[in-house]
Amino acid sequence: MFRLSNLIKSVTEGKKERSLSGSIVIWNFTNRCNLACRHCYSYADPNQEDFLSTEFILNSIPELTKAGIRFVIFSGGEPLIRRDIFDIADAMQKAGIVTYLSTNGLYINEKNVDRIIETFNYIGISIDGIEEVHDHFRGLEGAYKKSLEAIALIQKHGGNAGIRFTITNETKESFYAIFELAESIGVDKIYISHLVYSGRGLENLKIDISKEERREFVEFIIDKAFAYIEEGRNIDIVTGNMEMDAIFFLKKFAARYPELKEEMIRRLRKWGGNSAGRKLGNIDWMGRVKPDPFFPFYIGDMTQKPFSEIWLDESNEMLTKLRKHPRELSGICEKCGVIDICNGGSRSRAYAIYGDLWAEDPSCYLNEPEREDV
């Protein structure tokens, strides 16, 4: 996750960088969902039954804190399907864990909106295109209107919700309009996710955009981040699953603020790029643990072994290699001069295309001069 707006603000204003104390876990609490999104990595199904009991989840919370987990993103499926979701979030907050909610928004209503705002530190609602595009991509007519109604309801009750958008061939025609939408409805965050080849995302590899298109879109994203700050708009821009964005961003930042280039490089290196298995983990709906939600392999099963023992296992060769920084990778990554910034990008995409976890990320759009040492 690359928080470019926060980086621009903190460096240009001379503020201390935002550092993550501990790790983030994305927990897919259920595999049930009321939608059938084409890029879904978890093969969510409305007919699934929840596997982990409330008691099991609550008893696992001390294991999360023991392992240094400080943030949990509630995901699914659709997490609001679970009736115990608020009890789980309350227990995590009491344990000192910050809770975020990732939702399609369709279950947000007048009865639960205040509880949602009180329970979750941040609410991200997926909008993957304008009306017809979104409804087609999400597999339900009317989903777009319901998601926008959820955002409006949250705002009406004093909260705020960010927009989550995934760039694909099927959603790219709405890319620019998403920013116009965010500005018009007054959300405080736009999260732009690049497609990762996993779950339905792997089945639909053909829906990914070209590298040329990606460069065009990323350049627009970066320019928008600068513009929002200069215009005084309180809209943060974050990109996900494409850590190479940071290197592309650095070139543009250095052109604007040459005197701050070295400080930005220092912060980007400290951020460290892809953090799967290091600062980021995933627990699926059956309690299986992965380095990130898209990862093709599990590193453990919480129903068989406590989470802390899985996450802190220094004998796990895969975790050891993931946690080495920068990672030792092949292909264009082997001689890349800026791998200490992006850390090689997605291991899931590398495995999907090359069958090798330690190959280059096939979606890297940087040209050879841009991969030289900064």
Side-chain angles (χ1 to χ4, degrees):
M1 188 179 297
F2 178 50
R3 304 178 186 275
L4 67 163
S5 295
N6 179 269
L7 270 169
I8 296 171
K9 291 177 185 176
S10 62
V11 172
T12 58
E13 295 174 6
K15 295 180 179 178
K16 186 177 180 181
E17 64 259 49
R18 179 179 177 178
S19 59
L20 176 63
S21 175
S23 299
I24 297 172
V25 157
I26 300 171
W27 194 331
N28 305 97
F29 286 100
T30 181
N31 208 43
R32 291 186 290 152
C33 190
N34 50 339
L35 298 179
C37 306
R38 292 172 62 78
H39 63 310
C40 180
Y41 59 81
S42 63
Y43 293 97
D45 184 332
N47 299 313
Q48 291 276 5
E49 292 185 5
D50 293 333
F51 186 78
L52 300 178
S53 68
T54 307
E55 181 183 14
F56 179 89
I57 294 171
L58 294 178
N59 289 338
S60 300
I61 293 175
E63 285 295 318
L64 297 181
T65 58
K66 185 178 179 180
I69 305 303
R70 298 292 178 262
F71 294 78
V72 172
I73 299 175
F74 283 55
S75 187
E78 171 49 54
L80 291 177
I81 283 181
R82 285 194 68 128
R83 295 182 178 180
D84 58 1
I85 206 71
F86 296 113
D87 295 331
I88 294 169
D90 286 343
M92 286 194 179
Q93 288 187 331
K94 289 177 182 177
I97 296 174
V98 176
T99 56
Y100 288 2
L101 176 65
S102 179
T103 175
N104 59 44
L106 272 62
Y107 286 118
I108 297 176
N109 53 55
E110 286 282 0
K111 293 182 179 180
N112 65 15
V113 63
D114 290 326
R115 185 77 188 275
I116 290 170
I117 293 170
E118 293 167 2
T119 302
F120 296 99
N121 296 70
Y122 174 73
I123 305 161
I125 295 182
S126 299
I127 303 288
D128 282 307
I130 305 303
E131 193 104 38
E132 291 182 7
V133 174
H134 175 90
D135 289 356
H136 172 71
F137 198 66
R138 292 275 161 181
L140 179 67
E141 186 175 349
Y144 176 78
K145 289 182 179 179
K146 291 180 179 178
S147 294
L148 287 188
E149 288 170 0
I151 293 174
L153 186 60
I154 290 169
Q155 293 173 332
K156 175 185 172 183
H157 283 253
N160 212 324
I163 287 178
R164 300 171 57 87
F165 176 85
T166 302
I167 311 175
T168 72
N169 266 324
E170 295 187 346
T171 65
K172 65 184 181 182
E173 65 185 78
S174 292
F175 172 78
Y176 299 106
I178 286 294
F179 289 83
E180 295 172 4
L181 173 66
E183 294 165 14
S184 66
I185 65 177
V187 298
D188 66 346
K189 181 180 291 186
I190 306 172
Y191 176 88
I192 305 293
S193 178
H194 298 270
L195 186 70
V196 180
Y197 314 145
S198 179
R200 292 194 187 105
L202 178 55
E203 289 180 354
N204 293 281
L205 176 58
K206 61 185 179 183
I207 71 174
D208 200 8
I209 60 176
S210 68
K211 292 183 180 182
E212 292 74 23
E213 289 173 314
R214 197 178 307 283
R215 287 182 67 92
E216 177 185 329
F217 290 145
V218 172
E219 184 165 23
F220 180 86
I221 291 168
I222 295 169
D223 288 343
K224 268 293 183 184
F226 282 117
Y228 284 159
I229 292 170
E230 291 164 1
E231 294 167 6
R233 286 183 180 269
N234 188 30
I235 303 177
D236 281 346
I237 297 181
V238 179
T239 69
N241 307 314
M242 190 64 63
E243 289 78 15
M244 290 68 78
D245 290 353
I247 298 161
F248 199 48
F249 158 78
L250 177 60
K251 304 288 184 182
K252 297 179 77 69
F253 179 87
R256 284 173 176 257
Y257 304 99
E259 74 282 5
L260 297 175
K261 177 182 176 181
E262 292 305 316
E263 174 60 16
M264 181 60 74
I265 292 173
R266 184 190 71 79
R267 295 197 187 198
L268 289 176
R269 284 174 170 159
K270 184 177 180 181
W271 165 68
N274 187 278
S275 60
R278 183 168 55 98
K279 289 285 188 178
L280 174 67
N282 171 244
I283 302 171
D284 78 2
W285 65 290
M286 297 182 70
R288 296 171 298 193
V289 182
K290 296 190 291 183
D292 70 34
F294 312 101
F295 213 80
F297 301 108
Y298 299 103
I299 58 172
D301 186 334
M302 286 170 55
T303 66
Q304 305 296 321
K305 183 186 289 188
F307 178 84
S308 65
E309 293 184 21
I310 297 170
W311 193 247
L312 301 176
D313 184 4
E314 295 183 357
S315 67
N316 187 303
E317 184 178 355
M318 185 182 298
L319 280 180
T320 299
K321 293 184 74 172
L322 285 171
R323 290 170 178 172
K324 182 177 176 58
H325 190 271
R327 293 173 183 149
E328 295 179 352
L329 307 175
S330 61
I332 60 174
C333 293
E334 188 172 4
K335 296 181 180 180
C336 180
V338 286
I339 192 173
D340 57 342
I341 293 178
C342 78
N343 208 23
S346 170
R347 300 300 85 223
S348 300
R349 280 194 292 257
Y351 188 80
I353 299 303
Y354 303 117
D356 180 2
L357 279 175
W358 316 111
E360 66 187 64
D361 183 335
S363 290
C364 178
Y365 57 85
L366 300 175
N367 57 40
E368 189 170 350
E370 289 167 341
R371 297 195 302 269
E372 294 177 356
D373 192 355
V374 294

